[in-house]
Coordinates of all heavy atoms in Angstrom, one line a residue:
L165 N 91.1 81.4 105.9 CA 91.4 80.9 104.6 C 92.6 81.7 104.0 O 93.6 81.1 103.5 CB 90.2 81.0 103.6 CG 90.4 80.4 102.2 CD1 90.6 78.9 102.3 CD2 89.2 80.7 101.4
L166 N 92.5 83.0 104.0 CA 93.5 83.9 103.5 C 94.8 83.8 104.3 O 95.9 83.9 103.8 CB 93.1 85.3 103.4 CG 92.4 85.7 102.0 CD1 93.3 85.6 100.9 CD2 91.1 84.9 101.8
Y167 N 94.7 83.6 105.6 CA 95.8 83.4 106.5 C 96.6 82.3 106.0 O 97.9 82.3 105.9 CB 95.3 83.2 107.9 CG 96.4 83.2 109.0 CD1 96.6 84.3 109.8 CD2 97.1 82.1 109.3 CE1 97.5 84.3 110.8 CE2 98.1 82.0 110.3 CZ 98.3 83.2 111.0 OH 99.2 83.2 112.0
R168 N 96.0 81.2 105.7 CA 96.7 80.0 105.3 C 97.3 80.2 103.9 O 98.5 79.8 103.7 CB 95.7 78.8 105.3 CG 96.4 77.4 105.1 CD 95.5 76.3 105.4 NE 95.0 76.2 106.7 CZ 94.3 75.1 107.2 NH1 94.0 74.1 106.4 NH2 94.0 75.1 108.5
V169 N 96.6 80.8 103.0 CA 97.1 81.0 101.7 C 98.4 81.9 101.7 O 99.4 81.6 101.1 CB 96.0 81.7 100.8 CG1 96.6 82.2 99.5 CG2 95.0 80.7 100.4
L170 N 98.3 83.0 102.4 CA 99.4 84.0 102.4 C 100.6 83.5 103.2 O 101.7 83.7 102.9 CB 98.9 85.3 103.0 CG 97.9 86.1 102.2 CD1 97.6 87.5 102.7 CD2 98.2 86.1 100.7
L171 N 100.3 82.8 104.3 CA 101.4 82.2 105.1 C 102.2 81.1 104.3 O 103.4 81.0 104.4 CB 100.9 81.6 106.4 CG 101.9 81.2 107.5 CD1 102.6 82.5 108.0 CD2 101.3 80.5 108.6
A172 N 101.4 80.4 103.5 CA 102.0 79.3 102.7 C 102.9 79.8 101.5 O 103.9 79.3 101.2 CB 100.9 78.4 102.1
S173 N 102.4 80.9 100.9 CA 103.0 81.2 99.6 C 103.5 82.7 99.4 O 103.7 83.1 98.3 CB 101.9 81.0 98.5 OG 100.7 81.6 98.8
T174 N 103.7 83.4 100.5 CA 104.3 84.7 100.5 C 105.2 84.8 101.7 O 105.2 84.1 102.6 CB 103.3 85.9 100.5 OG1 102.6 85.8 101.8 CG2 102.3 85.8 99.4
N175 N 106.1 85.9 101.6 CA 107.0 86.2 102.7 C 106.8 87.6 103.1 O 106.1 88.4 102.4 CB 108.5 86.1 102.2 CG 108.8 84.6 101.8 OD1 108.5 83.7 102.5 ND2 109.3 84.5 100.6
V176 N 107.2 88.0 104.3 CA 107.1 89.3 104.8 C 107.7 90.3 103.8 O 108.8 90.1 103.2 CB 107.9 89.5 106.1 CG1 107.9 91.0 106.6 CG2 107.2 88.6 107.2
G177 N 106.9 91.4 103.5 CA 107.4 92.4 102.5 C 106.9 92.1 101.1 O 107.1 93.0 100.2
D178 N 106.4 90.9 100.8 CA 105.9 90.6 99.4 C 104.7 91.4 99.1 O 104.0 91.9 100.0 CB 105.6 89.1 99.3 CG 106.8 88.2 99.1 OD1 107.9 88.8 99.0 OD2 106.6 87.0 99.0
V179 N 104.4 91.5 97.8 CA 103.3 92.3 97.3 C 102.2 91.4 96.8 O 102.5 90.5 95.9 CB 103.7 93.3 96.1 CG1 102.5 94.0 95.6 CG2 104.8 94.2 96.6
V180 N 101.0 91.5 97.4 CA 99.9 90.6 97.0 C 98.8 91.5 96.3 O 98.4 92.5 96.9 CB 99.3 90.0 98.3 CG1 98.1 89.1 97.9 CG2 100.4 89.2 99.0
V181 N 98.4 91.0 95.2 CA 97.3 91.8 94.5 C 96.0 90.9 94.5 O 96.0 89.7 94.2 CB 97.7 92.0 93.0 CG1 96.5 92.5 92.2 CG2 98.8 93.0 92.9
D182 N 94.9 91.6 94.8 CA 93.6 91.0 94.8 C 92.8 91.8 93.8 O 92.3 92.9 94.1 CB 92.9 91.0 96.2 CG 91.6 90.3 96.2 OD1 91.0 90.1 95.1 OD2 91.2 89.9 97.3
P183 N 92.5 91.2 92.6 CA 91.8 92.0 91.6 C 90.3 92.1 91.9 O 89.7 92.9 91.2 CB 92.0 91.1 90.3 CG 93.1 90.1 90.6 CD 93.0 89.9 92.1
F184 N 89.8 91.4 92.8 CA 88.4 91.5 93.2 C 88.3 91.6 94.7 O 87.9 90.7 95.4 CB 87.6 90.3 92.7 CG 87.9 90.0 91.2 CD1 88.8 89.0 90.8 CD2 87.2 90.6 90.2 CE1 89.1 88.8 89.5 CE2 87.5 90.4 88.9 CZ 88.4 89.5 88.5
S185 N 88.7 92.8 95.2 CA 88.9 93.0 96.6 C 87.7 92.8 97.5 O 87.8 92.3 98.6 CB 89.6 94.3 96.8 OG 89.9 94.5 98.2
G186 N 86.5 93.2 97.0 CA 85.3 93.1 97.8 C 85.4 93.7 99.2 O 85.8 94.9 99.3
S187 N 85.2 93.0 100.2 CA 85.2 93.5 101.6 C 86.6 93.6 102.2 O 86.8 94.0 103.3 CB 84.3 92.6 102.5 OG 84.8 91.3 102.6
G188 N 87.6 93.3 101.4 CA 89.0 93.5 101.8 C 89.7 92.4 102.7 O 90.6 92.7 103.4
T189 N 89.2 91.2 102.6 CA 89.8 90.1 103.4 C 91.3 89.9 103.1 O 92.1 89.8 104.0 CB 89.0 88.8 103.2 OG1 87.6 89.0 103.6 CG2 89.6 87.7 104.1
T190 N 91.6 89.9 101.8 CA 93.0 89.7 101.4 C 93.9 90.8 102.0 O 94.9 90.6 102.5 CB 93.1 89.6 99.9 OG1 92.3 88.6 99.4 CG2 94.6 89.4 99.5
A191 N 93.4 92.0 101.8 CA 94.2 93.2 102.3 C 94.3 93.2 103.8 O 95.4 93.5 104.3 CB 93.4 94.5 101.9
A192 N 93.3 92.8 104.5 CA 93.3 92.8 106.0 C 94.3 91.7 106.5 O 95.1 92.0 107.4 CB 91.9 92.4 106.5
V193 N 94.3 90.6 105.9 CA 95.2 89.5 106.3 C 96.7 89.9 105.9 O 97.6 89.6 106.6 CB 94.8 88.1 105.8 CG1 95.8 87.1 106.2 CG2 93.4 87.8 106.3
A194 N 96.8 90.4 104.7 CA 98.1 90.8 104.3 C 98.7 91.9 105.2 O 99.9 91.8 105.6 CB 98.1 91.4 102.8
K195 N 98.0 92.8 105.6 CA 98.4 93.9 106.5 C 98.9 93.2 107.8 O 99.9 93.6 108.4 CB 97.4 94.9 106.7 CG 97.8 96.1 107.7 CD 96.7 97.1 107.9 CE 97.2 98.2 108.8 NZ 96.1 99.2 109.0
K196 N 98.0 92.4 108.3 CA 98.3 91.7 109.6 C 99.6 90.9 109.6 O 100.4 90.9 110.5 CB 97.1 90.8 110.0 CG 97.2 90.1 111.3 CD 96.0 89.2 111.6 CE 94.7 90.0 111.6 NZ 93.6 89.1 111.9
L197 N 99.9 90.3 108.4 CA 101.0 89.4 108.2 C 102.3 90.1 107.7 O 103.2 89.5 107.3 CB 100.7 88.2 107.4 CG 99.7 87.2 107.9 CD1 99.4 86.1 106.9 CD2 100.2 86.6 109.2
G198 N 102.2 91.4 107.6 CA 103.4 92.2 107.1 C 103.7 92.1 105.7 O 104.8 92.3 105.2
R199 N 102.6 91.8 104.9 CA 102.8 91.8 103.4 C 102.2 93.1 102.9 O 101.2 93.7 103.5 CB 102.0 90.6 102.8 CG 102.7 89.3 102.8 CD 102.9 88.7 104.1 NE 103.3 87.3 104.1 CZ 103.9 86.6 105.0 NH1 104.1 87.2 106.2 NH2 104.2 85.4 104.9
H200 N 102.6 93.6 101.7 CA 102.0 94.7 101.0 C 100.8 94.2 100.2 O 100.8 93.0 99.8 CB 103.0 95.4 100.1 CG 104.1 96.1 100.8 ND1 104.0 97.2 101.6 CD2 105.5 95.8 100.8 CE1 105.1 97.6 102.0 NE2 106.1 96.7 101.6
F201 N 99.8 95.0 100.1 CA 98.7 94.6 99.3 C 98.3 95.7 98.3 O 98.5 96.9 98.5 CB 97.5 94.3 100.2 CG 97.0 95.5 101.0 CD1 96.0 96.3 100.5 CD2 97.4 95.7 102.3 CE1 95.6 97.4 101.2 CE2 97.0 96.8 103.0 CZ 96.0 97.7 102.5
I202 N 97.6 95.2 97.2 CA 97.0 96.1 96.3 C 95.6 95.5 96.0 O 95.5 94.4 95.5 CB 97.7 96.2 95.0 CG1 99.2 96.8 95.2 CG2 97.0 97.2 94.0 CD1 100.0 96.7 94.0
G203 N 94.6 96.2 96.5 CA 93.2 95.7 96.2 C 92.6 96.5 95.1 O 92.9 97.6 94.9
I204 N 91.9 95.8 94.2 CA 91.2 96.4 93.1 C 89.7 96.1 93.3 O 89.3 95.0 93.4 CB 91.7 95.8 91.8 CG1 93.2 96.0 91.6 CG2 91.0 96.5 90.6 CD1 93.8 95.3 90.4
E205 N 88.9 97.2 93.3 CA 87.5 97.0 93.5 C 86.7 98.1 92.7 O 87.0 99.2 92.7 CB 87.2 97.1 95.0 CG 85.7 97.0 95.3 CD 85.0 95.8 94.7 OE1 85.6 94.7 94.9 OE2 84.0 96.0 94.1
R206 N 85.6 97.6 92.1 CA 84.8 98.5 91.2 C 83.8 99.3 92.1 O 83.5 100.4 91.8 CB 84.1 97.7 90.2 CG 83.4 98.5 89.1 CD 82.8 97.6 88.0 NE 81.8 96.6 88.6 CZ 81.2 95.7 87.9 NH1 81.6 95.5 86.6 NH2 80.3 94.9 88.4

């Protein structure tokens, strides 16, 4: 799901923020696809 979202709407080197990072799926896919990530988790 995140693969499709990030491939569709970001480019290599873009910065993606996930305010509710949880288990880190957004961060994991961002790293794989060459995007920067910022996860926020309580």
Side-chain angles (χ1 to χ4, degrees):
L165 183 69
L166 271 297
Y167 188 98
R168 192 170 291 190
V169 166
L170 297 188
L171 193 64
S173 53
T174 62
N175 299 311
V176 173
D178 279 358
V179 178
V180 181
V181 171
D182 185 339
F184 310 96
S185 181
S187 61
T189 302
T190 303
V193 177
K195 181 179 178 181
K196 187 180 297 183
L197 294 178
R199 279 68 167 162
H200 293 292
F201 64 86
I202 302 170
I204 304 171
E205 178 52 52
R206 190 175 63 184

